[in-house]
Amino acid sequence: MTLALGCIADDYTGASDLANTLTRNGLRTVQTIGVPRDDLALPDVDAVVVSLKSRSIAAADAVAKSRAADQWLRSRGVRHVLFKICSTFDSTDAGNIGPVMDALQADSGDAIVLVTPAFPGTARTVYQGNLFVGAVPLNESPLKDHPLNPMHDANLIRVLGRQSKSPIGLVDLASVAQGAEAIRARLAKLAADGVRAAIIDAVFDRNLEMIGLAALDHRLSVGASGLGLGLARGLVGSGLIAATTGSENAGAPVGGLAACLAGSCSQATLGQIAAAERIMPVLKLDPDKIVAGADEVQRALDWAGEHLAKGPILIASSSTPEQVAAVQARHGRDAAGHAIEQAMATLSEGLVRTGVRRLVVAGGETSGAVVDRLGIPGFLVGPEIAPGVPVLRAVGAGGDGMLLALKSGNFGGPGFFEDALRLMR
Ligand code: ADP
């Protein structure tokens, strides 16, 4: 099997978003958690997205991790690697986009790298090298107050120029609108002038399709899920890979018991739990008892043992904002959050031991704790339950073959748990 596309994502949720975008655009895609072991057995897929947590760590660490991911992908025959960044270009003058780009470019041997965070589907567009979030430039958007990467400059040629050792140029919308050949010509001209990376304007998906086609001539590109869309459509459109619905295998039934865990306290999740109470047994955990010790987890596992054989169940730590504030005041925000995440992870382990093969988890951090504890190395992306939330099939040793749905708090409609279980047979 030859992989048509390799991706290195600088955070987990961005990786999931990209893997979902590639799947929806016809590529059979696996998302791995971290750089996989050399012996990871992959199903037959077109693309692999390696999820790193490298957005806000020291630049040297981000470079080392990204190079390791790149080497793993190249060793699997990947020609083109997309370094996946946030569509709001989250970074500081110290990096990490520029340093990682420079290192991967040196390894790739490419003379020039295409860079665009544009993702029109989520209202991120780039014009004259300036990034817009909806109707406003990046530096007037809420990103100006981001706690880790406050973005004070919308001009990406300047932003990337402060991070990279390379001279940065622009492929403007006028060239992009003329199609892939015009983009290639402009890139060749910039490269001949000594420019080593180019911000590329894109306002519509059709711009990204042309950019994707041009990018496939190179070994490296840098962008958000929008560029992933362009690359996927480029690969399918040029016949380099056969389009699939991307998800048939991933969604095949696995049988076994089904359970849901909710650690998100978002309004959407609270509503989804209320809806689930009408169709399945629901156990509400006592957060104070969780922080106090392990008995609450054992009580939940005993309860699950009584109900699971009869059908799906839901166990939730979630409570209202007032109750959450009270718990945090008693135990500290981080201590309470960590204890509850770990309790959910222990619960997931116990449930899998009991025979659960279909697991729905609500909450971003909660999902991370569960996936880490189950030791799942990666997922094949399946059909979409709600926008941005696909069914996932575990690949590799830990939890091999089980189905999961991992939802960050605000995602999904009121019937999310029922919707998920309907697709996870
Ligand atoms: P979301 O995706 O909605 O942000 P997360 O799982 O990322 O959900 O975050 C929810 C956080 O709240 C986790 O750290 C979780 O352990 C914590 N938590 C869950 N239930 C409670 C509760 N009843 N009181 C306080 N914190 C809670």
Side-chain angles (χ1 to χ4, degrees), residues 262-266 269 285 287 316-320 323-325 327-328 333-334 336-342 344 362-367 407-410:
S264 164
C265 301
S266 72
T269 302
L285 299 171
S317 69
S318 322
S319 40
T320 61
Q323 290 164 323
V324 169
V327 167
Q328 290 178 339
R333 192 187 62 187
D334 290 350
H338 181 75
I340 296 170
E341 284 161 30
Q342 289 309 309
M344 286 300 192
E365 293 300 325
T366 308
S367 296
K407 174 191 96 80
S408 65
N410 277 318

Side-chain angles (χ1 to χ4, degrees), residues 343-362:
M344 286 300 192
T346 308
L347 266 174
S348 71
E349 229 175 1
L351 290 170
V352 168
R353 254 199 315 271
T354 319
V356 166
R357 302 265 293 151
R358 296 174 285 146
L359 185 64
V360 182
V361 187

Side-chain angles (χ1 to χ4, degrees), residues 137-331:
L138 179 66
N139 57 306
E140 293 175 27
S141 77
L143 271 295
K144 71 183 191 309
D145 303 316
H146 190 283
L148 299 176
N149 319 293
M151 301 304 290
H152 296 306
D153 190 354
N155 184 313
L156 300 181
I157 300 165
R158 283 195 303 250
V159 174
L160 190 57
R162 288 192 289 266
Q163 298 179 24
S164 165
K165 295 194 171 69
S166 294
I168 315 292
L170 172 70
V171 179
D172 67 357
L173 193 62
S175 305
V176 173
Q178 289 173 51
E181 271 314 311
I183 298 171
R184 290 186 178 108
R186 177 80 189 133
L187 286 168
K189 169 85 174 65
L190 288 170
D193 291 345
V195 169
R196 302 257 304 151
I199 303 292
I200 308 202
D201 284 350
V203 173
F204 301 107
D205 280 358
R206 64 173 182 274
N207 302 142
L208 289 165
E209 290 168 13
M210 293 304 126
I211 295 168
L213 275 175
L216 288 169
D217 299 348
H218 301 248
R219 283 168 56 78
L220 176 70
S221 58
V222 177
S225 292
L227 185 52
L229 173 149
L231 288 162
R233 292 190 186 171
L235 284 165
V236 172
S238 58
L240 286 168
I241 62 158
T244 63
T245 53
S247 50
E248 315 102 14
N249 284 345
V254 293
L257 304 175
C260 308
L261 293 173
S264 164
C265 301
S266 72
Q267 221 171 356
T269 302
L270 294 176
Q272 289 157 353
I273 294 168
E277 280 182 289
R278 293 196 285 275
I279 55 167
M280 67 180 90
V282 174
L283 177 70
K284 304 261 178 76
L285 299 171
D286 180 332
D288 287 311
K289 287 195 182 143
I290 291 178
V291 180
D295 290 356
E296 184 69 351
V297 170
Q298 193 51 53
R299 178 178 81 93
L301 286 174
D302 293 344
W303 176 88
E306 287 164 28
H307 290 89
L308 268 171
K310 287 171 257 164
I313 58 159
L314 167 63
I315 301 174
S317 69
S318 322
S319 40
T320 61
E322 298 74 37
Q323 290 164 323
V324 169
V327 167
Q328 290 178 339
R330 282 195 289 277
H331 307 286

Side-chain angles (χ1 to χ4, degrees), residues 392-412:
L392 301 170
R393 177 180 297 265
V395 299
D400 193 9
M402 72 180 282
L403 294 182
L404 292 102
L406 307 174
K407 174 191 96 80
S408 65
N410 277 318
F411 282 40

Side-chain angles (χ1 to χ4, degrees), residues 47-87:
V48 171
V49 179
V50 176
S51 333
L52 301 180
K53 277 188 192 156
S54 56
R55 184 172 297 169
S56 307
I57 62 177
D61 289 348
V63 165
K65 287 196 166 73
S66 305
R67 290 187 72 207
D70 188 63
Q71 280 155 17
W72 188 90
L73 290 165
R74 305 283 184 196
S75 77
R76 297 286 172 126
V78 166
R79 211 192 95 75
H80 188 88
V81 168
L82 167 65
F83 170 39
K84 156 60 173 87
I85 57 169
C86 186
S87 63

